[in-house]
Amino acid sequence: MIEVVELTKAYPDSISGTFKALDCVSFQAKPGEIFGLLGPNGAGKTTALRILSTVLRPTSGIARINGFDVTTHPDEVRHCIGFVSCNTAIYDRMTAWEMVEYFGRLYGIPKDRLSERMHRVFEDLSMMDYRDIAGGRMSTGMRQKVSIARAIVHDPPVLIFDEASLGLDVLVARALLGIIDQLREQGKCIIFSTHVMREVERLCDRVAILYRGRILASGTLAELAEQYQQHDFEELFFSLLNDSDRDRKAAVAEALKSLSTNGAGS
Amino acid sequence: MNWRHVHLIYLREMRDQLRDRRTLFTITVLPLLLYPLLGMLMMQVAQFKRDQSVRVRVVGIEHWPKDAGLVETTQSLDGFARLTAELEREIGSESVEIHPDAWPVDGSVDHVVTLARQSLTTSDFDAILIVEPEFEKLLADRRAKVKDLPPQPSSDPPESSNSSTTSSTATSEDVLSSGVETDSPGLQVVANMARDRSQLAVRRLQNVLRVWQQRWVSQELSAAGINPVLVEPLAVKQNDTSETSMRRAMLWAKILPFIMLVWALTGAFYPAIDLCAGEKERGTLETLLSSPARRREIVWGKLFTVATFSMLSALLNLLSMHMTAGFIVEQLASQGTPQLAEAFGRLPIHAFGWLVLLLVPMSAFFSALALAVAALARSTKEGQYYLMPLLLFTLPLVTMPMIPSLDLTLATSMVPVSGAIFLVRALIEGRITEACIHLPVVFGVTAICCLLAIRWAVRQFESESVMFSESERWNLQSWIRQVWRDRGAVASPSEATLCGLIILVAMFFSQFIAGPSTLAWETLAQRAVVTQIGLILTPCLLMAIFLTRSMRQALRIHPVPIDQIAAAIVLALALHPSYVLLGQAIAGTIQIGTETQRVLETVARLINAQPLWAVLLVLAVLPAVCEELTYRGFIFGGLLRNNGVLRAVLMSSLFFGLAHSFLQQSIAATLMGVLLGVIAWRTGSVVCTMLIHVINNSLSVSLGWISDRQVALPEAAEWFISIDQGQWHYQPAWITFSVVLSLAMLAILWRRTPAAERLAEAELV
């Protein structure tokens, strides 16, 4: 169960003073559900998911996972999530088995249970063939599977996938979506960020469209189609982005205008 | 802190590093190969140098006395002559090619010298020996003088004398050289001493001449019916109290710590880069950060790994070097240089034990430093750039103990790294008691350094801007705009540090600009004003104006409750006896040089000749106000941010101490600065520390002034102070009581009102 309320992350910026990577973002995701976070590059997806995985601290707002706040109880949060991102690579000089075992032991799983669990995970993901191959000599697809095995070895209730299909070929990407689908059936709460619309259409129960640190719209695909009277999801996405840009430009022009009139008045 | 996590991370990182070919090569294979190879090269060079013969031309060989020849009369085919068999036997393996030449017809001595100079540049001779026509006559004169001497009762020559000193041995050369300088020398050597080979030739030639002279003298004395035993060199038997192993230890104890610690640093640096920047680059750091391991645990796991490699690297280098040196020395000993073999023989095993003991904390310190620095880098390539600054910071500390005259004292024991090296050297040389005396200080300094370095590393890993820094294009203009736009109410930690450094640099250069000091009250007062206002307060105020939004907050001028003000005043009065005792203790351990002592006395006389109000204004009020606003105000406030209480207290007191000119003053001021820092932190203001500073300085100055003028004190004061012949002392009862009183006052200053608590919390943000 993921709960995010008015989450904001601001960075100091040399040009504008502060840059808000996330601006009052709120959403929820329930067990047995895949929540999609859709947005172009730089929209703030990675920042949001990094905060959820306690790697970054929010500037303001609340993020809770299974009832644990990410700022006050980061240790508990890390125990109940599995985090797979395009930035969470695997070790080159460790085999798949060693890698997963290492993280399993960091999670504090007892040795006998760990070995049993690893056998199951490796078989589920059909990774037995390359369990003794070092990370450096694996293909991208193999690495991604090892990452997933690493993230689910402790059987967490919440899984976070950040652009997990980035750089994968069609076959592997398809397999990945299959795995995530299975995980949903096991009752996991999954948050899945991507910039590929077809993945959202195929996988997500509910979706939020993130752009420039703000959520433009959220709901099930059907709800969104209803609300914006647009049944082509790609068209819907672009029209939302365009509207947002137009509003922003208008706001900037407004601000400049008021500034110049104020300047003339004083 | 979950040590199971630390253990797991340590095991993984170790395995990872051991699977890396580059690391393994640099840590293990390189030292094992490097020293034997270097050793081989050295042996070759030594061999070459020994076998290398020098060519000496002898002009005027016919002037050499026939009865004590220098060279064999039969020349070899290639033009050079062999030394006589006796000479060659005594000189040994050093080879000198002598090319005898006749004196040119009608040549004056000057002319021959000029010719020799010219021929030295054109020919391939390394030196030219000129035997003047007078030479044989000079020798004959000496012979005649010996025969002229009236016979004297001779005492038994001392064949050996027992002495522990290593004085030089007297030779026949010294006995006979007295007459030579007054006359024409008879022999001249022409050589170009800027050339290595010429130097070697002259040295060997001198040796040949010395041996020849000895033989000649013996021969002459025998001829005159005197036993030549009289002029044989005195053999001084040396009774050295040190054992051979100790002498070896002394030599190695200077060299080995340096080599060991340099390797400990480099051995720490490369794994550190791989474990921080390398992991960032490969993207595995975020995987680890999102795992259950806390940042602190990750740092400790990595720290143990880096320290292991640092120690391994240092130890392997040490052993490899020492063993190679041992072999080389044995080789040299068998080839006829036993002194060298003696000096560089195998190190006693206990010395290795002490070195390993030194290595453990030093590796920990270097590893934490390397880890913290490497965390800054985004890539391994960027990480390599940081090795230089790190070396620049640590190398002086490692090199300092090699300076010949320095040894373990209170002052040197307080220097990080160097102090520990001095201590270990004392242990190796067997000065156990001395080492034990300084152990607490060295241990304390080393422990503090290690802890601070580890703390820094942990903070680096906890900082988002360090862990997730993204390269951005840096631009001076937008940076200045950013600094101006984002300036806070209080300085930032880096701005505060910069302020402290600027003041130190300004003071350093002002020493040269100020020129020689004419000791007069005017110059003294003028210099105090320039230093305090110009060098300390002005940089601080300028930075406060341009870098902060509120002067009052930046300088920490906040109101303080009246009871704390009273407590500060009482504390200042009660603290002064302890401060005076501290000053005396420091002066007792670190002697003030006589020159400095003289200057200080003159200054004291000058001060005591002035009206008291002027003295107090210039030496008590002015420094207190300027220094407090700067060190407990601007700098302290900046360093306090981001929860930097410890940093603020330590660094501000260090800057404060360094701004004093004498070492003794600096130490006292640093310690005082720590106390003032704590008070400044608890009270959240400069008001109390300023009061304490003013009163402390005033007491020091005015008590001296009063006792010097023999002004009568009111009777009540006798309870505190006794004045005796221009010297004042605190009464022992008051000293004891003052300590208790100080503690009580500190307790009052420690308390905070809710408003002060809020202010203090706001300061830590």
Side-chain angles (χ1 to χ4, degrees):
Chain A
M1 166 85 186
I2 301 169
E3 222 181 328
V4 173
V5 184
E6 299 198 336
L7 201 62
T8 302
K9 178 73 186 176
Y11 292 104
D13 181 70
S14 60
I15 294 154
S16 60
T18 49
F19 165 72
K20 282 187 176 173
L22 282 183
D23 192 1
C24 282
V25 168
S26 304
F27 59 82
Q28 281 192 353
K30 290 187 278 293
E33 174 183 75
I34 298 180
F35 182 80
L37 212 51
L38 180 70
N41 291 337
K45 303 186 297 281
T46 299
T47 307
L49 300 187
R50 274 180 172 167
I51 291 174
L52 286 182
S53 64
T54 75
V55 171
L56 292 182
R57 282 179 292 270
T59 311
S60 67
I62 299 166
R64 266 190 233 111
I65 290 184
N66 266 14
F68 297 116
D69 192 301
V70 291
T71 35
T72 55
H73 296 83
D75 294 338
E76 288 83 350
V77 169
R78 283 200 293 266
H79 267 283
C80 57
I81 60 164
F83 182 47
V84 178
S85 137
C86 49
N87 299 314
T88 54
I90 63 168
Y91 292 110
D92 282 350
R93 298 190 282 259
M94 270 179 128
T95 67
W97 189 264
E98 285 169 344
M99 169 92 190
V100 179
E101 190 184 24
Y102 170 55
F103 279 89
R105 294 188 62 189
L106 278 179
Y107 282 110
I109 307 171
K111 255 191 182 156
D112 46 340
R113 250 191 55 213
L114 177 62
S115 142
E116 189 190 306
R117 170 78 187 153
M118 279 174 64
H119 273 104
R120 243 189 66 204
V121 169
F122 270 64
E123 263 154 29
D124 282 358
L125 298 175
S126 47
M127 285 165 51
M128 273 307 193
D129 293 346
Y130 49 89
R131 54 171 269 182
D132 292 326
I133 292 181
R137 286 187 288 132
M138 285 186 199
S139 69
T140 322
M142 288 165 157
R143 285 157 183 261
Q144 198 64 317
K145 273 194 180 176
V146 177
S147 276
I148 292 171
R150 187 262 305 156
I152 62 173
V153 65
H154 57 301
D155 202 12
V158 173
L159 283 164
I160 300 169
F161 290 93
D162 180 21
E163 307 252 13
S165 59
L166 200 74
L168 299 182
D169 65 35
V170 194
L171 275 174
V172 182
R174 192 181 154 79
L176 173 79
L177 297 192
I179 292 167
I180 294 175
D181 222 358
Q182 278 172 21
L183 288 168
R184 163 171 55 187
E185 274 155 31
Q186 291 168 20
K188 309 277 181 209
C189 171
I190 297 170
I191 185 161
F192 181 85
S193 91
T194 182
H195 62 272
V196 183
M197 266 147 280
R198 270 188 307 107
E199 289 178 356
V200 174
E201 284 174 316
R202 185 171 153 220
L203 211 58
C204 297
D205 300 300
R206 286 191 307 124
V207 66
I209 294 170
L210 196 64
Y211 184 53
R212 289 180 184 270
R214 290 183 192 191
I215 290 191
L216 302 182
S218 68
T220 62
L221 290 179
E223 279 168 8
L224 289 179
E226 180 95 357
Q227 192 183 342
Y228 295 95
Q229 294 298 310
Q230 173 59 266
H231 288 272
D232 187 310
F233 187 57
E234 201 165 321
E235 285 301 315
L236 178 92
F237 178 71
F238 287 119
S239 74
L240 276 172
L241 260 54
N242 280 335
D243 290 350
S244 160
D245 277 340
R246 206 179 50 227
D247 291 351
R248 226 176 111 260
K249 273 180 195 152
V252 168
E254 188 76 17
L256 280 175
K257 210 170 121 192
S258 72
L259 202 68
S260 62
T261 48
N262 282 352
S266 62
Chain B
M1 187 95 152
N2 186 338
W3 287 101
R4 210 177 47 81
H5 285 169
V6 176
H7 184 227
L8 273 173
I9 293 170
Y10 171 72
L11 287 182
R12 196 214 77 81
E13 305 292 12
M14 280 304 288
R15 188 163 53 179
D16 204 53
Q17 289 299 309
L18 287 175
R19 283 180 183 174
D20 184 17
R21 242 177 308 159
R22 283 167 307 170
T23 319
L24 267 188
F25 181 77
T26 36
I27 303 284
T28 58
V29 182
L30 196 65
L32 293 180
L33 289 179
L34 181 71
Y35 294 101
L37 284 177
L38 274 180
M40 234 163 79
L41 203 69
M42 256 173 63
M43 296 280 289
Q44 299 263 344
V45 170
Q47 185 82 23
F48 176 72
K49 201 150 186 196
R50 201 174 36 246
D51 292 349
Q52 193 183 32
S53 68
V54 289
R55 293 160 61 85
V56 177
R57 187 173 166 218
V58 181
V59 181
I61 190 73
E62 68 270 27
H63 302 137
W64 202 272
K66 303 290 176 300
D67 50 353
L70 185 70
V71 291
E72 298 283 0
T73 40
T74 50
Q75 276 193 21
S76 68
L77 287 175
D78 47 0
F80 76 89
R82 297 178 63 87
L83 290 171
T84 54
E86 294 90 357
L87 282 178
E88 203 149 78
R89 203 170 44 240
E90 285 197 42
I91 281 154
S93 58
E94 291 179 346
S95 91
V96 184
E97 273 182 31
I98 303 263
H99 294 255
D101 231 333
W103 194 262
V105 188
D106 307 334
S108 70
V109 173
D110 290 343
H111 179 62
V112 172
V113 171
T114 322
L115 280 180
R117 281 169 170 278
Q118 284 166 0
S119 79
L120 197 67
T121 48
T122 53
S123 70
D124 57 351
F125 287 113
D126 301 310
I128 295 170
L129 177 69
I130 298 169
V131 186
E132 293 176 17
E134 296 288 290
F135 182 59
E136 200 165 4
K137 196 179 150 282
L138 285 168
L139 291 180
D141 286 353
R142 286 195 181 191
R143 187 185 297 144
K145 277 181 192 159
V146 171
K147 284 176 182 162
D148 287 349
L149 271 178
Q152 281 182 352
S154 64
S155 58
D156 285 335
E159 280 176 24
S160 68
S161 70
N162 288 347
S163 153
S164 66
T165 57
T166 58
S167 66
S168 64
T169 53
T171 63
S172 59
E173 198 177 10
D174 300 324
V175 180
L176 282 179
S177 62
S178 51
V180 177
E181 276 93 32
T182 49
D183 298 354
S184 153
L187 293 176
Q188 290 195 41
V189 173
V190 179
N192 178 4
M193 294 304 268
R195 281 178 54 208
D196 259 357
R197 287 181 60 93
S198 276
Q199 285 186 14
L200 193 66
V202 170
R203 213 165 42 236
R204 289 187 184 172
L205 195 59
Q206 275 169 349
N207 195 26
V208 168
L209 291 176
R210 187 179 57 77
V211 173
W212 177 85
Q213 189 186 18
Q214 216 171 320
R215 297 192 60 77
W216 178 74
V217 169
S218 301
Q219 191 184 319
E220 289 304 316
L221 288 179
S222 305
I226 301 168
N227 191 343
V229 79
L230 205 71
V231 291
E232 272 177 14
L234 293 179
V236 179
K237 190 185 168 206
Q238 286 191 12
N239 288 316
D240 193 344
T241 55
S242 68
E243 291 166 31
T244 325
S245 64
M246 282 297 159
R247 261 171 287 137
R248 286 177 189 171
M250 209 183 84
L251 261 169
W252 281 118
K254 286 218 167 182
I255 305 165
L256 287 186
F258 175 76
I259 291 170
M260 189 178 78
L261 293 188
V262 167
W263 277 107
L265 183 64
T266 32
F269 194 70
Y270 289 100
I273 291 181
D274 192 57
L275 291 181
C276 293
E279 283 218 35
K280 272 191 201 175
E281 207 171 33
R282 295 188 291 268
T284 48
L285 192 61
E286 202 172 325
T287 319
L288 191 58
L289 291 181
S290 66
S291 83
R294 295 192 194 112
R295 305 282 167 102
R296 185 178 298 270
E297 294 156 4
I298 296 173
V299 172
W300 277 97
K302 286 183 185 288
L303 182 68
F304 281 128
T305 316
V306 174
T308 306
F309 275 94
S310 158
M311 279 189 268
L312 264 180
S313 171
L315 278 180
L316 278 174
N317 274 287
L318 195 68
L319 284 177
S320 173
M321 195 192 100
H322 189 250
M323 278 172 53
T324 315
F327 286 128
I328 292 178
V329 162
E330 267 170 34
Q331 199 75 21
L332 287 178
S334 65
Q335 286 175 2
T337 38
Q339 307 92 333
L340 197 67
E342 177 77 352
F344 281 93
R346 293 270 160 80
L347 188 64
I349 193 78
H350 73 92
F352 270 109
W354 293 127
L355 282 175
V356 173
L357 201 69
L358 168 71
L359 183 59
V360 174
M362 292 300 115
S363 280
F365 177 55
F366 290 153
S367 304
L369 273 186
L371 211 55
V373 170
L376 285 170
R378 282 179 291 264
S379 64
T380 38
K381 182 166 162 277
E382 194 186 332
Q384 314 275 355
Y385 291 124
Y386 296 142
L387 180 61
M388 206 31 143
L390 196 65
L391 278 178
L392 283 180
F393 168 71
T394 45
L395 269 190
L397 297 177
V398 180
T399 326
M400 197 178 112
M402 307 254 282
I403 300 173
S405 57
L406 285 181
D407 204 354
L408 189 63
T409 59
L410 182 64
T412 52
S413 70
M414 282 193 286
V415 182
V417 183
S418 300
I421 298 178
F422 281 124
L423 183 86
V424 163
R425 197 197 287 168
L427 286 171
I428 291 178
E429 289 168 11
R431 296 179 278 143
I432 306 287
T433 19
E434 202 180 322
C436 285
I437 294 168
H438 292 101
L439 182 69
V441 176
V442 172
F443 184 81
V445 169
T446 311
I448 289 172
C449 285
C450 285
L451 286 179
L452 286 179
I454 293 170
R455 215 180 121 97
W456 185 33
V458 172
R459 280 185 86 127
Q460 294 284 59
F461 269 75
E462 281 171 351
S463 158
E464 279 176 16
S465 58
V466 173
M467 283 293 106
F468 295 96
S469 59
E470 273 157 27
S471 54
E472 54 177 326
R473 288 230 316 278
W474 191 84
N475 169 315
L476 183 67
Q477 199 184 356
S478 66
W479 179 73
I480 290 172
R481 218 180 295 145
Q482 186 193 358
V483 167
W484 172 254
R485 187 188 55 215
D486 297 345
R487 68 197 194 282
V490 181
S492 72
S494 45
E495 286 160 358
T497 314
L498 184 67
C499 179
L501 292 177
I502 286 177
I503 292 172
L504 287 182
V505 172
M507 290 184 112
F508 176 74
F509 283 110
S510 77
Q511 286 176 357
F512 301 109
I513 297 164
S517 55
T518 50
L519 281 172
W521 167 249
E522 284 74 22
T523 47
L524 207 69
Q526 201 180 357
R527 197 167 292 176
V529 172
V530 168
T531 308
Q532 292 297 334
I533 294 181
L535 303 180
I536 295 181
L537 193 61
T538 309
C540 159
L541 286 183
L542 284 177
M543 287 185 85
I545 290 167
F546 288 109
L547 299 174
T548 68
R549 288 179 197 275
S550 157
M551 283 283 271
R552 201 172 63 83
Q553 283 187 49
L555 300 178
R556 303 181 79 236
I557 307 171
H558 299 294
V560 174
I562 193 80
D563 61 328
Q564 289 198 326
I565 290 189
I569 294 172
V570 177
L571 176 66
L573 293 169
L575 208 57
H576 194 248
S578 310
Y579 184 69
V580 171
L581 283 181
L582 174 73
Q584 283 166 356
I586 292 170
T589 36
I590 305 165
Q591 295 298 325
I592 299 174
T594 43
E595 179 70 11
T596 317
Q597 187 78 46
R598 207 174 47 77
V599 173
L600 286 178
E601 276 166 15
T602 322
V603 169
R605 260 203 310 285
L606 281 174
I607 290 170
N608 294 337
Q610 305 307 316
L612 189 59
W613 64 266
V615 173
L616 286 182
L617 189 69
V618 174
L619 297 177
V621 179
L622 177 75
V625 171
C626 296
E627 288 172 355
E628 289 310 309
L629 283 177
T630 307
Y631 291 106
R632 250 67 61 183
F634 184 80
I635 292 179
F636 197 85
L639 293 171
L640 209 51
R641 287 175 64 179
N642 306 334
N643 270 327
V645 177
L646 190 66
R647 174 178 62 189
V649 171
L650 290 184
M651 279 180 69
S652 71
S653 59
L654 213 59
F655 278 132
F656 177 57
L658 287 173
H660 290 72
S661 37
F662 299 114
L663 179 66
Q664 290 82 357
Q665 276 183 345
S666 293
I667 296 172
T670 307
L671 293 174
M672 191 68 175
V674 172
L675 185 73
L676 289 175
V678 171
I679 295 170
W681 165 50
R682 293 304 299 183
T683 57
S685 163
V686 290
V687 175
C688 287
T689 56
M690 208 183 272
L691 273 173
I692 295 171
H693 202 148
V694 170
I695 294 171
N696 186 67
N697 283 13
S698 303
L699 280 174
S700 295
V701 172
S702 58
L703 285 175
W705 192 87
I706 288 169
S707 57
D708 190 64
R709 298 210 168 182
Q710 316 233 329
V711 179
L713 284 173
E715 238 166 67
E718 276 174 23
W719 200 85
F720 306 100
I721 302 168
S722 69
I723 294 186
D724 184 26
Q725 296 172 345
Q727 296 288 317
W728 59 270
H729 303 280
Y730 277 115
Q731 300 284 18
W734 164 237
I735 294 180
T736 321
F737 180 63
S738 74
V739 175
V740 182
L741 191 62
S742 303
L743 292 175
M745 292 304 116
L746 273 176
I748 294 177
L749 290 171
W750 186 270
R751 279 183 316 149
R752 277 176 181 163
T753 58
E757 194 72 50
R758 274 196 301 281
L759 181 76
E761 262 171 43
E763 276 197 308
L764 292 177
V765 173

